[in-house]
Amino acid sequence: MKIQIKNGRLIDPKQGIDAVQDIYLAAGRIVGLGQAPADFHANRVIDATGLVVCPGLVDLSARLREPGFEYMATLESEMRAAAAGGITSLACPPDTDPPLDEPGLVEMLKFRAKSMPGPRVYPIGALTWKLKGERITEMAELHEAGCLAFSQADTPIVDTQVLMRAMEYAATFDFPVWLRPRDAHLIKDGVAHDGAVAARLGLPPIPVVSETIALASIILLMKATGARVHVCRLSSAAAIDMVRAAKAEGLPLTCDVNVHHLHLTELDVADFNPNCHLYPPFRSQRDRDAIRTALADGTIDAICSDHAPVDDDAKELPFQEAEPGATGVELLLPLTLRWARESGRSLSQAIDLITRKPAGILGIEAGQLGIGAPADLCLFDPEAWWQVTRKSLHSLGKNSPFLGLEMQGQARYTIIDGHIDFERNHTA
Amino acid sequence: MSPNIQLNEDGSLRHLLSLDGLPARILTQILDTAEGFLSVSEQEVKKVPLLRGKAIFNLFFEPSTRTRTTFEIAAKRLSADVVNLNISASSQSKGETLLDTVANLSAMHADMFVVRHSSAGAAHLIARNVAEHIRVINAGDGRHAHPTQGLLDMFTIRHYKGGFHNLRIAIVGDILHSRVARSQINALTTLGCPELRVVAPKTLLPHEVEGMGVHVYHRLEEGIEDVDVVMMLRLQNERMQGALLPSPQEYFKYWGLTPDKLKLAKPDAIVMHPGPMNRGVEIDSDVADGEQSVILPQVTYGIAVRMAVMSILAGN
């Protein structure tokens, strides 16, 4: 399949390109920019007038719910949803059932994902058996099976010695360790940011120190073990300050944030909307502003969807009983664009945070439009307005704090490995 | 911001879920209506026909005797048909969801649900999912709100003090876990109480509680100095040991209300308690049974206040 994409506004942060330029794809690779290669005869020409042509989005956390949670969503449905969101590569956390702690499970997931249309799937291996935080996994075997990094998903390791051993072992092979900073004792039954809204609504609180204490342990253990760490889903200004200091010290630390946290605060919880029950919780306006600033100055390296489709039965409950999480793969692009518009940042800077930078954290070739790179692209209309409704979402997870609201920016074509994987009807 | 689901389009009361966000005119309307119902309980025939033919379901997802009974009495004095459901022992244990339970009861032509639940926001969830004609009263949801208790406390204060505008009031005890305290704070700030204090050790206070319009005190002696009203809160036994408090003895020594400490308040100060009391833990028996205590009248007024709420919600 040879594709010519013409008249689009090509944006590639890696090469510093932002210009109307044609791009040529063949045999799953990018083979030409501006000028067609010799003897190029396109099987398909896409007129991208008015569209932005950028690298396919790379999402550092999308739960596909398989195996084990097929009643919430399926591999097929969520991969389709991700493609509809412009995502061409995604990392899935190991908190499936059973968790991704054996090479066979990882191979099976990769095999199943490959057999369906949709993004390239990169499973993140479990750091400990069954995610119990007691015994470390066979990381080298899991790596051979395809795991690029190791994580505990949402389940923290309570025993600090086990965490240290896990980081040491990972450092032996220079495998990155992805950790959510959360202190299990300080979270307990908490469901909302420990601030004025939780005080008023009587919701069990989650203090900021539950994040900073865990982060302090991670940073100190990095120094002790030499492990490379990616910190997942920062939520507070205090934690961002700690990351900034650790980076200034030269530690091999990267971090990301959930795209919802760029826009929402504790105030959005004020009417007990279970769709606003996420972990970490939406924090204060000051924290949200700190996240926005840290994205602009590069302290936060990437934005992810933290996609977590939840079935209605698990959401239609009183706020504190509802399962945390929100559907995200289809909102990653428009919510990132919204941050850029509101913060006065360029389109290129926004795209960088959801393409090149997460690809670098994951250590994959994607996230660029250089000649010879994989032909993974997203063509989106930056002006298109659309409404988030249960019907407009492809994901089986219909739970979003943004349900009913209008979004600007929508993927029109998603090209993976040189094939058009998703194409949106112009009137959709 | 979503609209206030407690109010109809014309600003009248549709559900009573919380006192947070309700205007003073609604609170005053309820208190004034309750005045009229006080005499019903003193008549030989303790009934008025205002809610005749209406079906009121008491949905108690967590155990309660006192609150359920007062709601039942209030409904019966209004001539409503009352059905008491102890849900924790029935449908929920069989796996039925909260909204399924509510849908089934709605199909039985309920007019009003009185809901008690262990999770904050449960009454809001139900109110958002019931048919247009059904009214919901929150009888306590987690740590969030207990609006009728807050209102009966306001009724008691107004009865003994004449109003709220010149009062200094202290709420003492476990503010962190107390739905009663949150409703009291909301009501008192709305009704114009100029100085509202909360008194507790730091382990029993929510962070940023000052944002609710209260002054924070950690020492009882300072917190109740020159106050007109002392509102004591119940301490649950499970909170008395471990990380929140070291022991009942130490709590009583530093935050228990004794006759000596009460002398620091104004001489005509009243002492309130939502019950049931832990004598010798948060309150000394001499205070609980003393001249300044209005704890038993609170219970009596609670029925009139609940009659008022039901009657207003039913459109009378």
Side-chain angles (χ1 to χ4, degrees):
Chain A
M1 182 80 164
K2 292 181 179 175
I3 301 175
Q4 177 189 2
I5 301 166
K6 63 175 191 182
N7 302 328
R9 177 180 169 190
L10 207 67
I11 298 183
D12 179 8
K14 184 169 186 188
Q15 301 182 80
I17 298 174
D18 184 351
V20 174
Q21 215 173 59
D22 290 1
I23 183 166
Y24 301 87
L25 319 176
R29 296 271 155 182
I30 294 167
V31 293
L33 289 173
Q35 293 286 330
D39 298 328
F40 187 91
H41 302 287
N43 307 105
R44 170 102 190 246
V45 177
I46 298 174
D47 182 1
T49 304
L51 303 184
V52 169
V53 179
C54 70
L57 275 49
V58 179
D59 190 356
L60 291 178
S61 180
R63 284 170 178 76
L64 304 174
R65 296 303 191 199
E66 279 196 41
F69 301 102
E70 290 83 356
Y71 58 93
M72 289 189 178
T74 64
L75 205 56
E76 191 179 1
S77 68
E78 300 320 290
M79 286 175 66
R80 189 173 63 237
I87 293 168
T88 55
S89 299
L90 59 83
C92 58
D95 53 350
T96 46
D97 183 19
L100 300 178
D101 60 2
E102 288 184 25
L105 289 166
V106 174
E107 282 161 5
M108 176 61 79
L109 180 62
K110 280 189 75 91
F111 175 78
R112 294 242 310 125
K114 254 189 186 158
S115 69
M116 320 178 167
R120 302 170 197 268
V121 171
Y122 296 96
I124 304 300
L127 196 57
T128 59
W129 286 97
K130 308 294 171 207
L131 298 172
K132 284 184 174 174
E134 294 165 356
R135 192 155 65 93
I136 60 176
T137 52
E138 296 168 340
M139 291 182 219
E141 296 279 344
L142 285 165
H143 179 73
E144 280 186 24
C147 293
L148 301 180
F150 298 90
S151 138
Q152 280 290 113
D154 289 353
T155 312
I157 295 178
V158 176
D159 183 333
T160 319
Q161 190 181 55
V162 175
L163 177 59
M164 182 164 164
R165 299 290 181 237
M167 290 169 73
E168 275 177 334
Y169 191 74
T172 311
F173 300 93
D174 199 29
F175 296 151
V177 178
W178 291 17
L179 296 170
R180 279 194 169 202
R182 51 187 289 173
D183 181 292
H185 301 296
L186 287 169
I187 293 171
K188 278 270 165 63
D189 59 350
V191 295
H193 170 61
D194 191 3
V197 174
R200 187 160 63 83
L201 298 184
L203 291 172
I206 300 176
V208 164
V209 288
S210 68
E211 181 167 291
T212 49
I213 284 177
L215 182 57
S217 295
I218 291 168
I219 291 171
L220 291 171
L221 288 172
M222 281 181 76
K223 293 179 188 176
T225 63
R228 270 197 294 145
V229 171
H230 175 67
V231 180
C232 310
R233 311 315 100 76
L234 287 185
S235 71
S236 65
I240 289 166
D241 286 344
M242 291 167 71
V243 165
R244 197 173 275 126
K247 284 186 164 188
E249 254 187 83
L251 289 179
L253 178 71
T254 52
C255 65
D256 69 50
V257 67
N258 177 337
V259 73
H260 292 85
H261 288 69
L262 315 189
H263 301 286
L264 303 176
T265 69
E266 58 178 332
L267 291 174
D268 293 287
V269 172
D271 67 349
F272 293 111
N273 178 0
N275 284 334
C276 290
H277 185 183
L278 268 66
Y279 186 83
F282 298 135
R283 295 205 180 273
S284 68
Q285 188 165 336
R286 189 176 150 267
D287 293 310
R288 186 195 61 180
D289 292 348
I291 287 171
R292 290 172 153 235
T293 305
L295 278 169
D297 70 20
T299 304
I300 295 177
D301 300 276
I303 303 170
C304 73
S305 75
D306 205 21
H307 180 67
V310 176
D311 62 323
D312 289 345
D313 286 347
K315 273 292 182 189
E316 285 176 351
L317 292 169
F319 186 90
Q320 72 187 78
E321 293 176 24
E323 185 160 325
T327 192
V329 283
E330 291 160 271
L331 298 173
L332 178 59
L333 175 67
L335 290 176
T336 302
L337 296 177
R338 184 166 142 186
W339 161 77
R341 274 195 307 276
E342 291 174 358
S343 310
R345 298 288 150 182
S346 70
L347 213 45
S348 180
Q349 193 171 4
I351 288 168
D352 200 29
L353 289 160
I354 48 178
T355 59
R356 181 182 68 94
K357 286 189 158 182
I361 290 164
L362 202 48
I364 58 175
E365 224 185 341
Q368 53 170 313
L369 298 180
I371 291 176
D376 292 355
L377 290 87
C378 169
L379 280 60
F380 70 89
D381 182 348
E383 303 301 325
W385 283 94
W386 62 285
Q387 191 182 20
V388 185
T389 64
R390 292 177 71 88
K391 208 175 160 192
S392 70
L393 292 170
H394 291 73
S395 169
L396 290 185
K398 305 299 182 187
N399 42 289
S400 168
F402 293 98
L403 268 184
L405 297 182
E406 298 277 336
M407 294 281 146
Q408 193 178 12
Q410 190 175 45
R412 187 70 69 72
Y413 297 89
T414 305
I415 298 172
I416 301 168
D417 205 20
H419 296 280
I420 299 173
D421 197 77
F422 175 80
E423 183 173 357
R424 190 183 303 275
N425 185 322
H426 289 212
T427 55
Chain B
M1 202 62 168
S2 54
N4 188 341
I5 59 169
Q6 300 201 83
L7 300 179
N8 285 316
E9 281 178 4
D10 63 0
S12 60
L13 197 65
R14 175 166 150 66
H15 303 293
L16 182 66
L17 309 176
S18 162
L19 302 181
D20 187 9
L22 284 189
R25 67 174 166 80
I26 297 258
L27 303 190
T28 306
Q29 177 198 11
I30 295 169
L31 301 183
D32 291 347
T33 309
E35 294 279 2
F37 283 122
L38 266 187
S39 59
V40 174
S41 301
E42 292 160 7
Q43 294 166 7
E44 195 176 331
V45 178
K46 300 180 179 61
K47 253 187 192 319
V48 288
L50 286 172
L51 264 64
R52 192 155 57 197
K54 300 281 185 189
I56 297 180
F57 284 65
N58 281 334
L59 309 186
F60 278 62
F61 295 89
E62 70 172 14
S64 157
T65 306
R66 175 184 300 237
T67 302
R68 188 185 55 70
T69 306
T70 53
F71 269 105
E72 184 177 350
I73 292 170
K76 285 182 170 168
R77 289 194 179 158
L78 292 167
S79 306
D81 296 320
V82 184
V83 180
N84 290 313
L85 289 157
N86 182 4
I87 314 264
S88 56
S90 57
S91 317
Q92 299 276 292
S93 59
K94 293 176 188 165
E96 187 171 78
T97 70
L98 174 59
L99 291 182
D100 280 343
T101 304
V102 168
N104 277 295
L105 296 172
S106 300
M108 296 176 200
H109 300 287
D111 295 293
M112 204 175 284
F113 289 135
V114 177
V115 182
R116 152 103 22 136
H117 199 285
S118 58
S119 291
H124 276 74
L125 178 75
I126 292 172
R128 276 199 291 261
N129 287 281
V130 291
E132 181 67 24
H133 73 280
I134 294 178
R135 302 289 178 256
V136 179
I137 300 175
N138 182 4
D141 61 331
R143 307 172 180 182
H144 171 229
H146 194 349
T148 55
Q149 178 70 44
L151 285 163
L152 78 86
D153 292 336
M154 297 311 106
F155 189 92
T156 308
I157 292 169
R158 197 173 78 162
H159 182 85
Y160 285 96
K161 296 292 172 188
F164 303 93
H165 288 285
N166 298 307
L167 298 182
R168 192 177 286 142
I169 295 177
I171 304 173
V172 182
D174 185 358
I175 314 289
L176 178 66
H177 299 95
S178 176
R179 52 197 171 204
V180 174
R182 286 180 177 79
S183 291
Q184 290 169 337
I185 292 168
N186 287 327
L188 287 166
T189 48
T190 302
L191 291 169
C193 171
E195 188 176 339
L196 182 54
R197 304 172 177 182
V198 292
V199 187
K202 284 188 172 186
T203 47
L204 297 182
L205 282 168
H207 290 165
E208 302 191 31
V209 68
E210 296 89 343
M212 296 181 74
V214 299
H215 301 279
V216 173
Y217 290 80
H218 300 304
R219 303 296 298 266
L220 182 66
E221 291 82 351
E222 292 168 7
I224 63 171
E225 192 175 348
D226 286 331
V227 300
D228 301 277
V229 180
V230 186
M231 304 169 89
M232 302 302 293
L233 297 173
R234 187 166 71 90
L235 274 171
Q236 285 160 352
N237 285 331
E238 64 268 27
R239 307 219 165 94
M240 293 306 299
Q241 269 148 6
L244 287 171
L245 293 169
S247 70
Q249 295 77 15
E250 176 147 322
Y251 183 80
F252 185 65
K253 184 174 176 188
Y254 288 92
W255 290 279
L257 188 61
T258 60
D260 278 349
K261 287 178 186 163
L262 185 55
K263 284 178 189 158
L264 295 166
K266 284 188 181 166
D268 62 345
I270 56 169
V271 175
M272 300 169 64
H273 193 298
M277 286 180 284
N278 293 312
R279 292 168 183 261
V281 176
E282 69 254 4
I283 192 163
D284 188 292
S285 275
D286 288 344
V287 175
D289 303 328
E291 285 182 358
Q292 289 168 265
S293 166
V294 296
I295 294 168
L296 285 176
Q298 281 179 269
V299 179
T300 307
Y301 301 152
I303 293 171
V305 165
R306 285 168 180 132
M307 288 171 75
V309 170
M310 289 176 173
S311 155
I312 290 168
L313 287 176
N316 295 304

